[in-house]
């Protein structure tokens, strides 16, 4: 009798314990799930602070590693493929100093480094030193005034280098590529200094000419008087 009672009690205890533990685990699970959701929702919406046109921009994958919360990166082409061409942006021309500042934007591809190609005239282009993958801006020095150039930016990774449209074209004169790709044609203006000299020269010539005209005019008047006025005076006397 006592034995069967204690057996019943034991059974009741275990079932209650089991049900309690089941409830607990269910609650734990639900809480955990809720936590996951609250953490996951904002991080899904946050994009990494990555601008593919920003100079000295570290790669988005590195931003993902160091950031406090996971952020989203733009999709990239495959690593075992050559990169897509970068997009050449603004070319700021400093005519007086004979240099240009070039900006570009990274392609949506893994890039290990960049370089620039510069055609001055028919023949092989000049190739810049390699620029690391964070670089988006470079200076071109020693550009000659009044000369046409074609400039291209090339991205490279372990699988190869990006295409350069019109690389087979002989020199800047024949180049007719699109202006939104990796290449751009630009013409260095003549030096402002020479323009100033030219303006001063033309101005001086004009001033000398008008002086000469004035001197000639007054000399004539002093020598022969003013024939038209005299003529008019004679005419009025005659009336
Ligand atoms: C990349 O090049 C830039 C400009 O030369 C330099 O400031 C930067 O430290 C370099 N970054 C790395 C990771 O080498
Ligand atoms: C374009 O290239 C051709 C040779 O491929 C050359 O004969 C021609 O003179 C070039 N045109 C200009 C404007 O330089």
């Amino acid at each position: 009798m006592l034995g069967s009672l204690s057996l019943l009690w034991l059974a009741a205890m275990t079932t209650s314990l089991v049900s309690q533990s089941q409830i607990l685990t269910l609650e734990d699970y639900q809480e955990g799930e809720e936590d996951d959701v609250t953490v996951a929702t904002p991080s899904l919406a946050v994009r990494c602070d990555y601008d593919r046109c920003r100079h000295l921009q570290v790669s988005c994958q590195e931003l993902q590693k160091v950031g406090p919360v996971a952020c989203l990166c733009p999709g990239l082409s495959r690593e075992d493929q050559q990169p897509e061409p970068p997009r050449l942006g603004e070319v700021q021309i400093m005519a007086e100093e004979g240099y240009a500042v070039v900006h570009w934007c990274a392609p949506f591809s893994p890039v290990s480094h960049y370089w620039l190609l510069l055609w001055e005239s028919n023949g092989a282009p000049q190739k810049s030193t390699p620029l690391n993958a964070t670089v988006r801006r470079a200076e071109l020095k020693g550009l000659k005034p009044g000369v046409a150039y074609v400039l291209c930016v090339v991205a490279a990774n372990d699988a190869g280098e990006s295409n350069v449209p019109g690389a087979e074209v002989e020199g800047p004169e024949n180049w007719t590529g699109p202006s939104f790709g990796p290449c751009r044609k630009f013409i260095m203006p003549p030096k402002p200094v020479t323009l100033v000299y030219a303006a001063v020269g033309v101005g001086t010539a004009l001033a000398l000419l008008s002086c000469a005209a004035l001197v000639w005019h007054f000399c004539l008047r002093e020598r022969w008087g003013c024939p038209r006025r005299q003529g008019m005076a004679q005419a009025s006397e005659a009336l």
Side-chain angles (χ1 to χ4, degrees):
M1 185 65 189
L2 207 87
S4 63
L5 256 179
S6 63
L7 211 74
L8 255 173
W9 181 80
L10 203 73
M13 281 299 287
T14 39
T15 43
S16 77
L17 267 179
V18 164
S19 60
Q20 258 180 1
S21 70
Q22 269 174 349
I23 287 163
L24 264 178
T25 47
L26 202 69
E27 273 176 359
D28 279 353
Y29 178 69
Q30 278 169 342
E31 268 174 24
E33 202 177 46
E34 271 169 20
D35 282 352
D36 279 351
V37 167
T38 48
V39 169
T41 311
S43 71
L44 268 177
V46 167
R47 288 199 202 163
C48 298
D49 179 25
Y50 173 83
D51 180 349
R52 65 196 187 103
C53 304
R54 190 192 285 151
H55 186 47
L56 300 180
Q57 171 71 67
V58 299
S59 76
C60 196
Q61 284 63 39
E62 266 165 63
L63 290 180
Q64 269 181 332
K65 275 183 223 158
V66 298
V69 287
C71 57
L72 288 177
C73 281
L76 298 183
S77 64
R78 285 167 44 173
E79 254 177 67
D80 57 357
Q81 286 177 341
Q82 63 182 76
E84 297 288 314
R87 184 165 58 80
L88 197 63
E90 200 185 356
V91 178
Q92 289 172 313
I93 293 171
M94 315 289 172
E96 207 165 336
E97 295 87 356
Y99 77 95
V101 183
V102 184
H103 302 259
W104 65 91
C105 298
F108 291 111
S109 304
V111 173
S112 60
H113 60 284
Y114 298 96
W115 65 80
L116 299 172
L117 294 174
L118 185 71
W119 280 264
E120 182 188 321
S121 54
N122 295 3
Q126 295 175 51
K127 186 174 171 180
S128 76
T129 52
L131 305 160
N132 71 45
T134 68
V135 176
R136 303 283 186 277
R137 192 180 72 206
E139 279 184 12
L140 296 169
K141 295 204 177 103
L143 301 175
K144 295 165 201 154
V147 173
Y149 294 92
V150 170
L151 169 74
C152 297
V153 57
V154 182
N157 62 19
D158 291 341
E161 60 190 64
S162 63
N163 288 325
V164 178
E168 63 283 349
V169 170
E170 305 265 299
E173 285 78 21
N174 270 343
W175 192 82
T176 51
S179 58
F180 49 84
C183 297
R184 180 80 47 83
K185 178 176 173 173
F186 65 93
I187 298 168
M188 288 300 281
K191 275 197 176 175
V193 178
T194 42
L195 282 181
V196 167
Y197 282 148
V200 167
V202 169
T204 315
L206 280 176
L208 280 175
L209 262 177
S210 43
C211 271
L214 278 175
V215 165
W216 183 72
H217 178 79
F218 283 118
C219 280
L220 271 187
R221 250 178 73 159
E222 263 180 31
R223 206 170 281 179
W224 293 303
C226 189
R228 248 173 63 203
R229 283 242 182 98
Q230 255 179 10
M232 274 167 73
Q234 280 168 358
S236 58
E237 266 172 27
L239 275 170

